[in-house]
Amino acid sequence: MLCLGIETSCDETALALVRDGCLLGQSLRSQVDVHALFGGVVPELASREHGRCIGPLYDHLLKSCGVEARDVDCLAVARGPGLLGSLLVGIAFAKGLALALQKPLLGVNHLHAHLLAAGLESKLAFPALGLLVSGGHTHIYRIESPRDFTLLGRSLDDAAGEAIDKFGKMLGLPYPAGKFIDEFAVGGEVDTKMFPKPYLDNDNCDFSFSGLKTAARTLLDSRPHLRFVYDAERLCPVPAESGAEFRQELALLCASFLYAVAQTLRLKLERALRTKWTGPINSILLAGGVAANRVVRQNLSDLAAIAGLPLVVPSPALCTDNAAMIAYAGQLLREQGLRHDLSFAAIPRGQQVPDDYWQDLGYIAPTF
Ligand code: KG4
Ligand code: ZN
C-alpha cells in the first residue's frame, strides 16, 4: 500500500510517501527562518508559508520518488491538534487531491502519529506506554493498538518543549531553542539542585512546567552575563561573552535544566507504570521533538532498563514534525479499512474532544 502523508500542523510543511511501512521519500520545508526572530510561531505567517510551499513540495516529492499520482493508494493528513489556519491548508490540499485522484483520505491525529513513527524503523509492540514530548504537548498514553489511545496524563500549562524554548529565549536564543540547549549541555556537569522538578507533589500523571520557567527566570536574572545576542549578518546567535568560563557555566546551566525536565518526565512515567497501568505492557514509546534530546533519551532509557521494557524512540529526524509519521499512521488505519469522507474538519489545539474521539468517531466504515 502506498500512502501519501501531509503535515502542516505548525511550522513545517511536509509531504512523504510510505510504501508498506517503508519510507520512500519526504519533501519538507521548515519555517524556522520565518519565525526565528519573533520568538515563536506567528500563525498568520505559518499558514501563508504552507500555502506557498505545499504545491511545489508535492511535485518535488513525486518526481524525486519516481511515483505517479495515480499510484498512490490512500492519502493521510494531520487533522490536529495544531494551528487552525495551518491545518486547514493541509486538509484543503489533501481533500482536493483525494477528490481528483478518487482515493481514500484519512485525517490523522498528529500526536498519535508521533508515537507510531518508530514503527517505520522497528516493529511496534502493543500494548505500550507512550510519552509524547513536543513543543505543544506532554502526554502520557496507554496504547492498545494504532487506533486505541487512552490519555493517562497531560501538560496543564507549558509543555516540556515550550519550557525549553522559553528558557532558550531568556538566554537570547532564537526559536526553537531546544537543539541549542541540547548541544550546549554536552559535557556539562549536572547540579541536581539548581532547578526544581516541578509538579511532583501530587498523585497524578499530569505535568506543569511553568514553575521551572519561573525558577530559570530568577536564576538568569542573577547571571546577566549568560546571554546570547542575535547576529543578523551571520543569522545565528553569538555569546555575549567569549571564553572557556562562559562555555562551562552555560553547559552546567543547560545540563541542569535538561536534567530537571528529564527527571520530571521519568518520574511521572514511572508513576503511570506503577499506578495507572493494569495488565501486561510490552514496550515504552517515546516521541515528539523533545525526544530528540540526549538527556531525555538517556533518563528514559534508564527507566526502561529498570522496568525491564524496551524503550522505542524514533531517530531524531522522525522525532520532530514530519510527514512520514502521518503517512505511516494513515497506512496503519487504512489497513483496518478506515477512511474519512470529505466533510471531516480540523481539530485545532485546545479544542476538547471526547477521549475515544480518535478511535471511531469521524471515520466511515470500511469500503472493501
Ligand atoms: O514535535 P515537534 O517537532 O513539534 C510539535 O509538534 O510541537 O517539537 C518541537 C519541540 C520544540 O520545542 C523544540 O525546541 C524541541 O521540540 N526540540 C528539542 C530538540 N529538538 C527539538 N528539545 C530538546 N532537544 C532537542 N534536541
Ligand atoms: Zn509535533
Side-chain angles (χ1 to χ4, degrees), residues 33 57 102 115 125 127 156 175 188 209 218-219 254 292 320-321 361:
D33 52 344
L57 285 171
Q102 286 295 299
L115 283 159
L156 302 174
Y175 172 87
F209 285 103
T218 311
L219 197 110
C254 293
T320 46
D321 284 351
L361 221 73

Side-chain angles (χ1 to χ4, degrees), residues 41-176:
V41 178
V42 184
E44 286 276 318
L45 294 181
S47 340
R48 198 187 302 175
E49 275 298 292
H50 288 308
R52 196 175 68 80
C53 298
I54 196 163
L57 285 171
Y58 169 73
D59 287 341
H60 177 263
L61 176 71
L62 261 55
K63 214 173 280 169
S64 63
C65 292
V67 163
E68 297 284 333
R70 63 171 175 272
D71 300 335
V72 171
D73 295 306
C74 66
L75 298 99
V77 61
R79 180 186 186 181
L83 300 170
L84 181 59
S86 292
L87 290 167
L88 288 176
V89 175
I91 291 174
F93 188 83
K95 283 183 178 177
L97 212 52
L99 193 62
L101 299 174
Q102 286 295 299
K103 295 291 163 84
L105 171 64
L106 291 114
V108 167
N109 182 318
H110 173 92
L111 308 181
H112 296 184
H114 265 301
L115 283 159
L116 296 170
L120 282 163
E121 297 171 329
S122 55
K123 197 168 158 41
L124 298 177
F126 299 108
L129 183 65
L131 173 63
L132 185 267
V133 234
S134 69
H137 301 84
T138 314
H139 283 187
I140 299 179
Y141 291 100
R142 178 191 174 97
I143 311 169
E144 294 291 338
S145 76
R147 69 186 278 205
D148 189 353
F149 284 65
T150 307
L151 194 61
L152 304 179
R154 66 195 174 91
S155 37
L156 302 174
D157 41 48
D158 291 356
E162 203 171 345
I164 295 172
D165 291 338
K166 285 180 178 166
F167 173 60
K169 193 175 176 186
M170 290 175 206
L171 280 167
L173 295 168
Y175 172 87

Side-chain angles (χ1 to χ4, degrees), residues 16-321:
L17 282 166
V18 164
R19 175 174 280 140
D20 301 328
C22 292
L23 177 63
L24 281 192
Q26 172 164 230
S27 291
L28 185 148
R29 148 89 175 125
S30 167
Q31 301 177 3
V32 160
D33 52 344
V34 176
H35 305 289
L37 283 175
F38 297 97
V41 178
V42 184
E44 286 276 318
L45 294 181
S47 340
R48 198 187 302 175
E49 275 298 292
H50 288 308
R52 196 175 68 80
C53 298
I54 196 163
L57 285 171
Y58 169 73
D59 287 341
H60 177 263
L61 176 71
L62 261 55
K63 214 173 280 169
S64 63
C65 292
V67 163
E68 297 284 333
R70 63 171 175 272
D71 300 335
V72 171
D73 295 306
C74 66
L75 298 99
V77 61
R79 180 186 186 181
L83 300 170
L84 181 59
S86 292
L87 290 167
L88 288 176
V89 175
I91 291 174
F93 188 83
K95 283 183 178 177
L97 212 52
L99 193 62
L101 299 174
Q102 286 295 299
K103 295 291 163 84
L105 171 64
L106 291 114
V108 167
N109 182 318
H110 173 92
L111 308 181
H112 296 184
H114 265 301
L115 283 159
L116 296 170
L120 282 163
E121 297 171 329
S122 55
K123 197 168 158 41
L124 298 177
F126 299 108
L129 183 65
L131 173 63
L132 185 267
V133 234
S134 69
H137 301 84
T138 314
H139 283 187
I140 299 179
Y141 291 100
R142 178 191 174 97
I143 311 169
E144 294 291 338
S145 76
R147 69 186 278 205
D148 189 353
F149 284 65
T150 307
L151 194 61
L152 304 179
R154 66 195 174 91
S155 37
L156 302 174
D157 41 48
D158 291 356
E162 203 171 345
I164 295 172
D165 291 338
K166 285 180 178 166
F167 173 60
K169 193 175 176 186
M170 290 175 206
L171 280 167
L173 295 168
Y175 172 87
K179 67 173 193 315
F180 294 110
I181 307 287
D182 194 3
E183 277 161 30
F184 297 153
V186 172
E189 270 183 49
V190 173
D191 178 344
T192 58
K193 300 269 183 306
M194 188 180 268
F195 295 100
K197 294 186 264 308
Y199 201 60
L200 292 179
D201 197 12
N202 51 54
D203 59 3
N204 62 45
C205 293
D206 294 331
F207 298 94
S208 166
F209 285 103
S210 60
L212 185 56
K213 194 178 57 186
T214 312
R217 170 86 282 153
T218 311
L219 197 110
L220 284 175
D221 281 349
S222 67
R223 297 170 201 207
H225 57 288
L226 280 175
R227 289 283 186 283
F228 283 77
V229 285
Y230 195 72
D231 185 330
E233 263 173 36
R234 285 159 58 204
L235 298 175
C236 64
V238 290
E241 281 180 19
S242 55
E245 222 169 89
F246 176 91
R247 289 272 160 207
Q248 216 172 346
E249 212 179 334
L250 183 70
L252 170 74
L253 190 81
C254 293
S256 305
F257 186 85
L258 288 175
Y259 171 82
V261 172
Q263 278 285 310
T264 306
L265 296 172
R266 177 186 165 153
L267 289 163
K268 288 277 171 155
L269 203 61
E270 203 172 5
R271 186 176 293 173
L273 267 176
R274 259 191 298 114
T275 61
K276 294 255 180 174
W277 199 275
T278 49
I281 166 175
N282 291 319
S283 61
I284 298 178
L285 302 181
L286 171 65
V290 181
N293 185 270
R294 283 168 262 217
V295 182
V296 170
R297 286 167 101 99
Q298 185 57 54
N299 271 269
L300 294 180
S301 89
D302 291 349
L303 168 68
I306 291 168
L309 291 165
L311 177 75
V312 186
V313 198
S315 51
L318 278 180
C319 283
T320 46
D321 284 351

